[in-house]
Amino acid sequence: MTATLTRRTVRRRALIAAFAAGATLLTSGFVTGPTAAPKVAAAPDIPLANLTGHLNQFQSIATANGGNRAHGRPGYRASLDYVKAKLDAAGYTTSIRTFTSGGRAGYNLIADWPGGDPNQVIMAGAHLDSVTAGAGINDNATGSAAVLETALAVSRAQFRPTKHLRFAWWGAEELGLVGSRNYVNGLSAADRTRIKGYLNLDMVGSPNPGYFVYDDDPVIEQTFKGYFAGLGVPTEIETEGDGRSDHAPFKNVGIPVGGLFTGAGYVKSAAQAAKWGGTSGVAFDRCYHRACDTTANVSTTALDRNSDALAHTLWTLSS
């Protein structure tokens, strides 16, 4: 009972902080009146056990398929089939979008939650592929699991937001954002204007984590920051991977974007270790793009916090 009450208190504070800190831009599509406070449904807690269950499944898939889940390899398609089956059972309308890269077929998975204004779409996505060197559990089974479990939480809650919700898992990100670029390039001008925000999660469980927020759309940024402020967790602006993940094709065509990141190959400074804990002088993820990026290479605390931050932000922006 105490833990539940504490969670609710933290979420309430996070909501207050998010709206107190955030400026609203008309171009973002997130318009609030100057005097009326919006009513926002509280997002549910994202269960850590469910998140780690997904990571274990992705690890098992990689182990059974040559040790990786890379583009054009059987482990990638098995990963996609696993995610799709979960979403189909939860009531989503799913579609597989095919493209070609390097002479191999690639696949994006798109899932739409029924209802909401189709002219106001909020998306969340993550790349599902690994590099060929390993299973890619932090990079990026963590982001894929966070997006999947948030989508499943929408179904469990039978959430009925004002805006339409869409989720995506991208292929061939490791080859240069191929899947997400293919999706965005295939959108009509009208379809692009309907997407009012895209939230990207790429590496959100680094074992020596930082808490980085994309500084792109101000409303999305402040909503994420407000959540972490409610937890008492300081954040920094994400710079290590700026433009190197799947938000970039959306941003390049004027769609508002934001996202979360816990660090890759850069070294954590002494100041960052003092702020977040962990070890200074060591990379945020020493196994970045290596065979040791397994389920042993994940901070479950960081994964839990970032997944809850995604749910909070998705609920807030789509309500």
Side-chain angles (χ1 to χ4, degrees), residues 38-313:
K39 294 181 179 179
V40 180
D45 176 60
I46 301 300
L48 178 58
N50 293 5
L51 293 164
T52 57
H54 298 316
L55 297 189
N56 289 334
Q57 287 295 323
F58 290 132
Q59 179 68 65
S60 295
I61 287 168
T63 301
N65 290 281
N68 67 65
R69 301 179 303 101
H71 164 74
R73 309 297 178 91
Y76 178 78
R77 183 56 196 250
S79 298
L80 182 143
D81 290 342
Y82 168 75
V83 174
K84 185 178 186 299
K86 294 287 186 183
L87 295 164
D88 288 341
Y92 280 84
T93 300
T94 61
S95 62
I96 297 173
R97 313 290 179 86
T98 305
F99 59 90
T100 302
S101 181
R104 295 174 181 262
Y107 310 97
N108 294 326
L109 176 62
I110 309 298
D112 284 275
W113 181 241
D117 184 350
N119 292 312
Q120 297 187 76
V121 178
I122 301 296
M123 286 190 72
H127 77 85
L128 188 56
D129 62 315
S130 73
V131 293
T132 57
I137 299 304
N138 184 39
D139 184 16
N140 185 37
T142 55
S144 294
V147 173
L148 172 58
E149 195 54 36
T150 300
L152 297 179
V154 167
S155 175
R156 287 192 296 268
Q158 286 298 292
F159 182 39
R160 300 299 176 193
T162 301
K163 298 182 178 70
H164 180 75
L165 293 178
R166 181 174 299 152
F167 298 88
W169 290 263
W170 308 115
E173 186 271 354
E174 298 291 2
L175 302 183
L177 320 182
V178 179
S180 56
R181 184 176 291 113
N182 179 271
Y183 175 80
V184 172
N185 288 346
L187 295 173
S188 67
D191 284 338
R192 290 175 180 178
T193 63
R194 293 185 180 105
I195 301 175
K196 303 305 181 183
Y198 171 72
L199 314 177
N200 193 62
L201 268 67
D202 191 353
M203 301 180 66
V204 291
S206 303
N208 190 30
Y211 292 88
F212 299 97
V213 176
Y214 297 5
D215 65 335
D216 292 294
D217 179 77
V219 175
I220 299 174
E221 177 188 349
Q222 292 301 330
T223 308
F224 276 130
K225 284 183 173 180
Y227 180 81
F228 283 107
L231 295 181
V233 176
T235 58
E236 289 186 9
I237 296 303
E238 195 281 302
T239 58
E240 180 180 356
D242 189 30
R244 291 169 49 197
S245 193
D246 293 299
H247 62 293
F250 291 85
K251 180 179 178 178
N252 290 344
V253 297
I255 295 170
V257 302
L260 301 173
F261 179 58
T262 52
Y266 283 21
V267 169
K268 179 179 277 189
S269 70
Q272 289 169 327
K275 177 165 51 180
W276 291 320
T279 307
S280 65
V282 174
F284 294 102
D285 183 357
R286 289 181 290 183
C287 290
Y288 177 59
H289 283 187
R290 297 174 60 193
C292 56
D293 187 8
T294 66
T295 51
N297 188 51
V298 172
S299 164
T300 55
T301 297
L303 175 62
D304 191 28
R305 287 172 171 173
N306 280 276
S307 299
D308 287 340
L310 172 62
H312 162 77
T313 300

